[in-house]
């Protein structure tokens, strides 16, 4: 592009020698020599960055597929299979021991559930006067207050609000002329969730009373429960009460039977046999019998019925993981071959032709792909072979047969094991309990405030230990609790040894680092220090391959370093191009300004020459 200037007559004085066209040609020559090579390098660098990203993405995908085949979780998945009556459904978490079990259900857990008599409307008033009555569940009493204006709907709300959600009350439309019934049921199953009703004969304070017949307004006909020794019964609020039991329907008169409330279900525990052992639970979902195994009881077995369950290794998805590994490996090889090839006929080189960081990838991967395990096994034994073109081929039938019939061999070949070296930090002396323990203890960067008074005793603010020194056991528990409840402190446990020294253990290979005020740490028998745990992946044919991939695309990998070099080079090239471009622009702007001056001088000299020439010609003509 021509340099912009207001002096548009450049070249007229010099006979078009010092012209814009000349400046443009000179600048174009300099741009070609100084700028274009940089632009070419910048574009080449950008192409390399783009293609490198594609290769590293493929390597990451390959690494992920390798991790699926080598990781512990793949080989800890479990399948459950049930045969027989189907009275129990079983699910197993990852890592549960393979096992079989025989299950037989004698009784399902159920809620306590009552239904009232029928009402014509949700807004029908229930009681004719102000009353208070009680509901007991799980060993706790609840008082329900109502008056003559309380509707069926409002009574349900009162029961729900007053019983800590342990009792649920709802209204159902069951049809008929008077379609509404109040349903009162326990929120949880199990015998411990039995619902009991009671009348209040004498309130402890100001409050309403009720009689044994008050709840007949709901269609419930009660007898008094027997009181031991004839003593007055009180609820947990101090009210004098009569505990009630629902009459058997056979005890009701014909008129009472016409619209009586009933007990639909009785609270009871689940009862079943596990491998011949009698088991009782409050719920039909049992998760505490075997760690990691969940049982759901569905129905009661008939005599001689049972459910047989086997928990086995799950192989689902492993063949697909193997296919994914082969496909991702082949994608890498094809991409690298394309990026490093040289077309001699057309003299066109791939993006990374001759780049050692890229050309060496295939060689490094093939060291493992073509290798043998400790016991002489190769990928070919599992249906994976390397073709003459350098890509992998999977024989699914061979692989599937190995997975299903020789799973232990497959697992031993592919899987890795994560091993942890855990550290334990022990105090060098017993904790000093004869004074307050107050200060800040920092474990693995988590600061913990500890404040245990000298006279501390759990549940009391007053001194109750010997000589006002509190209870040592309670102090120990308070210290352990403060550390255990510290937010964001994971994989660390604390205890005391038999000598009263504080013991801090790491798990999962975590480090343990202790910091804090020296004097405070000394009270705990500690000092500032750090112990390093360790996490190590061992075994498995592909561990070496995983290490190779980490060496390529890990934090300090060769491709990671190459990518940083490309980025740094790109920045340097761009800065150099911008600097040179600025220098050229300045150079030719100054040249144009000088040429304008030179052109003006030449024009003046040209005019003077013409004047002198004219004078000479005029004088010559005058002498003729």
């Amino acid at each position: 592009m021509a340099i912009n200037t207001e002096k548009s007559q450049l070249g007229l004085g010099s006979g078009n020698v010092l012209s814009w066209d000349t400046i443009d040609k000179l600048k174009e020559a300099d741009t070609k020599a100084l700028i274009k090579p940089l632009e070419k390098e910048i574009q080449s660098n950008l192409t390399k960055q783009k293609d490198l990203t594609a290769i590293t993405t493929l390597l990451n995908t390959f690494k992920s597929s390798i991790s699926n085949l080598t990781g512990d979780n793949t080989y800890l998945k479990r399948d459950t299979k049930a045969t027989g009556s189907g009275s129990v459904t079983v699910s197993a978490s990852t890592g549960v021991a393979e096992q079989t079990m025989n299950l037989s259900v004698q009784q399902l857990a159920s809620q306590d559930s009552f239904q009232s008599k029928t009402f014509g409307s949700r807004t029908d008033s229930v009681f004719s006067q102000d009353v208070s009555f009680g509901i007991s569940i799980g060993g706790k009493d609840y008082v329900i207050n109502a008056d003559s204006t309380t509707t069926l709907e409002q009574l349900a709300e009162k029961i729900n609000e007053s019983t800590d959600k342990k009792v649920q009350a709802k209204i159902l439309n069951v049809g008929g002329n008077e379609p509404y019934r109040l349903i009162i049921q326990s929120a949880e199953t199990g015998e411990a969730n039995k619902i009991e009703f009671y009348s209040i004969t004498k309130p402890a304070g100001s409050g309403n009373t009720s009689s044994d017949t008050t709840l007949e307004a709901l269609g419930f006909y009660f007898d008094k429960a027997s009181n031991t020794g004839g003593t007055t019964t009180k609820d947990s609020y101090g009210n004098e009460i009569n505990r009630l039991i629902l009459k058997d329907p056979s005890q009701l008169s014909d008129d009472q039977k016409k619209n009586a409330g009933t007990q639909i279900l009785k609270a009871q525990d689940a009862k079943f046999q596990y491998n011949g052992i009698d088991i009782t639970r409050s719920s039909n979902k049992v998760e505490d019998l075997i760690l990691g195994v969940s049982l759901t009881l569905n129905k009661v077995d008939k005599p001689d019925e049972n459910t047989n369950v086997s928990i086995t290794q799950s192989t689902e998805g492993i063949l697909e993981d193997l296919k994914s590994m082969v496909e991702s490996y082949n994608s890498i090889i094809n991409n690298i071959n394309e990026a490093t090839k040289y077309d001699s006929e057309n003299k066109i080189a791939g993006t990374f032709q001759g780049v050692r960081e890229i050309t060496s990838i295939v060689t490094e991967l093939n060291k493992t792909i073509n290798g043998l395990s400790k016991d002489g096994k190769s990928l070919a034994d599992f249906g994976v072979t390397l073709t003459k073109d350098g890509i992998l081929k999977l024989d699914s039938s061979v692989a599937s047969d190995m997975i299903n019939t020789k799973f232990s061999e497959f697992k031993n070949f592919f899987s890795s094991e994560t091993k942890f070296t855990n550290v334990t930090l022990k105090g060098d002396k017993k904790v000093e309990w004869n004074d307050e323990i107050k200060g800040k203890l920092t474990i693995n960067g988590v600061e913990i405030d500890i404040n245990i008074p000298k006279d501390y005793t759990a549940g009391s603010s007053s001194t109750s230990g010997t000589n006002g020194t509190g209870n040592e056991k309670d102090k120990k528990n308070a210290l352990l609790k403060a550390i255990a409840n510290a937010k964001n402190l994971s994989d660390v446990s604390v205890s005391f040894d038999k000598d009263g020294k504080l013991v801090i253990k790491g798990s999962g290979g975590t480090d343990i680092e202790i910091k804090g005020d020296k004097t405070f740490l000394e009270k705990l028998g500690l000092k500032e220090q750090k112990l390093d745990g360790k996490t190590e992946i061992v075994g498995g044919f592909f561990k070496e391959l995983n290490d190779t991939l980490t060496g390529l695309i890990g934090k300090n990998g060769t491709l990671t370093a190459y990518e940083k070099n490309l980025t740094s080079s790109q920045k340097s090239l761009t800065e150099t191009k911008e600097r040179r471009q600025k220098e050229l622009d300045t150079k030719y702007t100054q040249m144009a300004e000088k040429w304008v001056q030179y052109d003006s001088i030449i024009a003046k000299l040209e005019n003077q020459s013409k004047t002198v020439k004219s004078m000479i010609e005029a004088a010559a003509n005058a002498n003729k």
Side-chain angles (χ1 to χ4, degrees), residues 88 96 322 340 587:
V88 184
V96 169
L322 197 57
T340 57
K587 173 183 176 180

Side-chain angles (χ1 to χ4, degrees), residues 495-560:
S495 61
F496 286 96
D497 68 7
K498 62 183 179 60
D499 298 320
K501 297 177 182 178
L502 189 62
V503 178
I504 304 174
K505 293 183 178 181
S507 61
T510 192
D511 301 338
I512 295 180
E513 184 177 21
I514 302 295
K515 289 185 177 181
D517 175 74
K518 181 179 179 181
T519 303
F520 178 63
L521 291 181
E522 285 179 352
K523 282 189 175 184
L524 300 176
L526 303 175
K527 60 183 177 182
E528 287 198 348
Q529 58 182 303
K530 181 179 181 182
L531 300 178
D532 296 326
K534 186 178 179 182
T535 301
E536 183 181 9
I537 299 176
V538 296
F541 177 69
F542 274 176
K543 179 184 181 299
E544 183 181 343
L545 182 57
N546 188 71
D547 292 342
T548 298
L549 291 168
T550 300
L552 290 170
I553 57 178
K555 184 178 180 180
N556 299 312
T558 54
L559 294 188
T560 304

